[in-house]
Amino acid sequence: MSRTDHVASDLDALVPVAEQHAWMASAPADTPAAAPGGRDTRPDNEQQPTAGRAGFDRLAADPRFDAMIPVLRRYLARTIPFPRRTELSRWSVSASTGKNLVTVTVHSQETLSAYAPAGQPHRTIFALHVDAAALHRRWSTPERLAGAFPAVFFEQTRPGLLRLEVEGARTLMRLLDVDGVVDAARRLNLDMMRRGPAVPWRTHHAGLADRLLEPATEPAGAPFPLGLFWDRLGDVPRAEHHYRLAGGAEAAFRLGELLIERGDAGAAQPCYEQAAAGGYHGVRRPPRAADTHANTRWGRHCSDSGAPADAAWYFKLAAEGGASQAYVSLGDVFTQLGEFDRAKSAYRSAAACGHRAGWYGLARVHDAAGETTVAQSWYRRAAEAGHPAAMVETGWAHESRGELPQAEIWYRRGVRAGDLDALVQLGDLLARRGDTAGAAACYQRAIRRGSGAGLVGLGILHENDGEHTEAEACYRRALDRGRTQALNNLGTLYTGQGDLKRAKACFRDAVTAGHSDGHLHLGDLLDEQGQHDAAERQYRQAAAAGNHQAVARLGTHYLHLGELDAAEPLLRVAAGTADPAAMYDLSLLLHQRGLPDEAQTWLHRAAQAGHTPALEHRSHQLIASVPA
């Protein structure tokens, strides 16, 4: 008894309750159910012959359409009660609406849809909705169904409703043969019909419905050609039946393939041996190729659920089944697990299969290990292959070396490729070059696409122009978009305005949000207030988090205290990161130690890097060296 069977419905006038119960109890058939002793017909509706024509024309031109017809026909025949009689008033079928290629809707529920994943038009994913309670009566849990039929991915879309996903018409054809699936689909469809009429009836295409409700043509012929015919349609039971009738070496091989597809490797092996003995050696299909979509979806589900080890297992199965893109996801999971050698191997496999994200992932692993030169070479390779984020990294590598024209070229290529970070990086570069109008244009484009970093960049432009109210508004909008780094910008703005209480609060919030710059800025503020010990503690925490500026600040702090032994190693580390201020302070320290030659070297490097005190110091030295 269904939860809606006891509620009166106007469906009962169209399909008497006794017929509904008889249909639910009947065995699934590939011929639509009709009224007892008669043939159901579609209700007349003058609007429908032209409805949805454009969508149907697009679908008919799709090379995947012919392969969909048999399984869509089977779905309607097995799961829609009296489909001719209830067509349009209770269910509808539409073509090429939104992201879906085909959609069957019962009342307001999309019960079956076919779509192509973004950027992968060659693939077809079918989503079948079923009644959860009815499925549980055959399979105590959906996990048991997935264990018996590994090609399916399931998720609960709302209480009592399960969405089953498979890839390809052939796999859906097999799923409709699995015990309990048709019963669960029937239960949902009848319940939805009893709730009310078809909501999207205006997009129903009668011609498509005719195509799907016409009887399947069953050709005559010898068993082996018939086996091939049903095999191509994905009707595994019928194909298996005809291969067994046919006998012979090739039929034995094809039967082995079907048994492998069904997961019965033990029964398949004698078939392959029989084929080989008869002189037939075919090319075997990957045994789990149909499972790749489900394994990929399960991998993502486990990754999102905080189970990376399980995710790695599923991604590995997907990759081995032929979904080479899964190697990228596998590399990401191994990186998360800290298994960097396995991550590199996975990324290399992805790259070897032509996925530019493999080179990018390889670069990120080397980058995280501090192997900057190697990382940059892989970023460059990924960028040249068209990876947008790698273009940004390549541009940054040029910018960090002072090669601004080359950096701009790569940022602009990233912008053309649609990368949001490239827009912000280009804006930053233009701002540093003095092109504030060009920078603002980049930031505004990024902001329209939802970028918090763009708001920070625009806020800095306003702050530099003395427009503090506008700057604060930008920083606060950036925070609303989750850009917590803007807390440091707000703190710096308040510091400049003398509002030290609010500045400290912002810097502390930045620290709480995980930004080591907050320690740095808080240390600067405390140092200016004469709280040197407190400033030192902040610098130490920032340095421990890997902040190179904090290392320089700490070295300078010890230098001013006259603690040269503590200052020198810190300043050398900071100077090695090309920090001009650290280079200058290191030159002062070396001069105090009586090492004038090395001091001059670091002073010269700081001056070359544009450090103003170093330039002035160098200028005074040159003037002093001129004879009177």
Side-chain angles (χ1 to χ4, degrees):
M1 179 69 69
S2 164
R3 56 187 172 276
T4 58
D5 281 348
H6 66 285
V7 179
S9 167
D10 56 2
L11 175 68
D12 300 342
L14 183 64
V15 181
V17 172
E19 282 190 56
Q20 296 175 34
H21 285 304
W23 174 78
M24 278 296 299
S26 66
D30 289 343
T31 301
R39 181 174 180 272
D40 283 341
T41 58
R42 174 201 294 141
D44 291 332
N45 188 302
E46 297 178 356
Q47 297 178 344
Q48 287 313 116
T50 58
R53 178 172 294 171
F56 177 72
D57 290 343
R58 287 192 297 273
L59 178 64
D62 193 296
R64 293 166 295 184
F65 179 50
D66 286 342
M68 291 183 195
I69 294 174
V71 73
L72 293 173
R73 181 179 288 142
R74 173 172 285 188
Y75 172 77
L76 293 180
R78 292 189 174 189
T79 71
I80 298 291
F82 310 99
R84 273 301 188 193
R85 203 187 322 171
T86 55
E87 180 188 348
L88 184 61
S89 66
R90 298 290 155 170
W91 69 272
S92 65
V93 60
S94 57
S96 296
T97 55
K99 72 170 188 175
N100 291 338
L101 299 167
V102 178
T103 305
V104 176
T105 305
V106 181
H107 179 41
S108 60
Q109 175 66 53
E110 289 185 2
T111 60
L112 180 70
S113 59
Y115 68 94
Q120 302 178 67
H122 59 287
R123 298 175 62 198
T124 308
I125 309 300
F126 287 91
L128 169 67
H129 282 90
V130 300
D131 183 88
L135 192 71
H136 289 169
R137 281 194 287 273
R138 171 58 185 85
W139 303 93
S140 56
T141 64
E143 288 80 4
R144 289 183 178 272
L145 169 63
F149 194 81
V152 70
F153 172 80
F154 68 84
E155 61 183 346
Q156 182 174 300
T157 54
R158 61 178 170 81
L161 188 68
L162 285 176
R163 173 187 171 101
L164 308 181
E165 273 194 13
V166 294
E167 179 165 8
R170 182 184 188 86
T171 314
L172 179 59
M173 188 76 86
R174 290 173 51 216
L175 180 64
L176 292 175
D177 281 325
V178 174
D179 287 348
V181 172
V182 165
D183 288 343
R186 283 184 170 193
R187 183 73 271 168
L188 173 66
N189 290 347
L190 182 57
D191 283 352
M192 295 308 299
M193 282 188 177
R194 293 184 62 79
R195 291 185 182 186
V199 173
W201 63 271
R202 291 184 181 277
T203 60
H204 177 69
H205 193 277
L208 176 57
D210 285 340
R211 186 81 175 271
L212 300 180
L213 292 176
E214 66 186 12
T217 302
E218 298 200 19
F224 183 64
L226 284 175
L228 292 175
F229 173 79
W230 294 115
D231 200 345
R232 282 193 297 272
L233 296 183
D235 195 328
V236 175
R238 281 180 175 153
E240 182 179 338
H241 171 71
H242 284 93
Y243 286 149
R244 290 187 185 279
L245 289 177
E250 186 174 355
F253 181 87
R254 299 295 173 194
L255 179 58
E257 291 285 271
L258 294 185
L259 293 169
I260 284 289
E261 184 178 3
R262 205 169 64 187
D264 195 347
Q269 190 56 37
C271 296
Y272 288 136
E273 291 171 358
Q274 180 185 342
Y280 186 83
H281 303 276
V283 178
R284 299 188 186 185
R285 288 193 296 254
R288 305 298 293 271
D291 305 350
T292 56
H293 171 71
N295 284 327
T296 301
R297 288 297 308 273
W298 284 121
R300 291 175 187 157
H301 172 77
C302 291
S303 183
D304 293 342
S305 302
D310 292 338
W313 187 75
Y314 280 113
F315 287 137
K316 186 173 183 292
L317 288 179
E320 290 172 348
S324 55
Q325 177 65 36
Y327 280 118
V328 176
S329 301
L330 185 60
D332 293 343
V333 171
F334 281 144
T335 300
Q336 181 183 351
L337 290 169
E339 299 182 28
F340 301 118
D341 288 340
R342 298 178 76 182
K344 290 176 184 177
S345 177
Y347 287 136
R348 285 195 184 95
S349 295
C353 293
H355 297 290
R356 60 198 182 192
W359 301 125
Y360 180 72
L362 198 56
R364 289 195 304 122
V365 174
H366 284 288
D367 210 355
E371 300 166 353
T372 305
T373 303
V374 178
Q376 287 178 359
S377 68
W378 293 128
Y379 281 135
R380 180 67 177 245
R381 185 161 186 172
E384 289 172 345
H387 194 285
M391 294 175 185
V392 177
E393 295 291 347
T394 303
W396 174 247
H398 282 295
E399 185 173 354
S400 63
R401 294 193 295 266
E403 300 162 355
L404 302 189
Q406 294 92 326
E408 183 175 348
I409 289 170
W410 281 108
Y411 289 151
R412 290 192 181 279
R413 285 184 64 177
V415 169
R416 288 194 294 273
D419 190 273
L420 189 57
D421 289 338
L423 262 176
V424 177
Q425 290 292 117
L426 179 60
D428 292 346
L429 186 148
L430 295 176
R432 284 191 288 272
R433 202 170 67 189
D435 183 359
T436 54
C442 288
Y443 294 144
Q444 292 285 10
R445 286 176 62 188
I447 291 166
R448 285 194 292 272
R449 290 175 55 188
S451 171
L455 282 163
V456 171
L458 189 62
I460 292 171
L461 292 182
H462 283 305
E463 188 174 352
N464 291 341
D465 288 341
E467 299 166 344
H468 294 163
T469 301
E470 292 83 352
E472 182 177 359
C474 285
Y475 296 148
R476 293 206 170 277
R477 285 177 61 197
L479 287 175
D480 292 338
R481 293 188 180 183
R483 186 73 178 180
T484 53
Q485 180 63 44
L487 286 164
N488 282 318
N489 298 89
L490 269 175
T492 303
L493 178 68
Y494 293 143
T495 300
Q497 294 173 339
D499 191 344
L500 302 187
K501 182 178 179 180
R502 293 176 76 185
K504 285 182 180 179
C506 286
F507 294 143
R508 290 195 173 98
D509 287 343
V511 167
T512 302
H515 299 291
S516 62
D517 284 357
H519 285 299
L520 180 72
H521 294 306
L522 193 55
D524 289 344
L525 194 153
L526 293 168
D527 203 33
E528 290 176 7
Q529 292 182 318
Q531 301 179 47
H532 303 304
D533 291 341
E536 180 182 340
R537 286 194 294 272
Q538 294 298 326
Y539 291 146
R540 282 192 174 280
Q541 291 183 70
N547 190 299
H548 294 301
Q549 287 180 292
V551 174
R553 295 283 208 288
L554 201 55
T556 301
H557 172 75
Y558 288 132
L559 176 64
H560 291 165
L561 293 175
E563 299 178 16
L564 304 189
D565 290 340
E568 183 173 349
L570 295 170
L571 290 174
R572 285 191 181 276
V573 168
T577 65
D579 183 326
M583 294 177 187
Y584 178 68
D585 286 344
L586 181 59
S587 73
L588 297 179
L589 184 149
L590 294 170
H591 184 75
Q592 290 183 47
R593 285 195 178 279
L595 301 170
D597 293 340
E598 190 179 0
Q600 285 297 320
T601 299
W602 284 109
L603 178 64
H604 180 64
R605 291 181 184 177
Q608 282 185 318
H611 188 60
T612 302
L615 285 168
E616 293 175 352
H617 194 144
R618 188 79 177 138
S619 175
H620 290 316
Q621 284 184 335
L622 291 173
I623 292 171
S625 66
V626 177

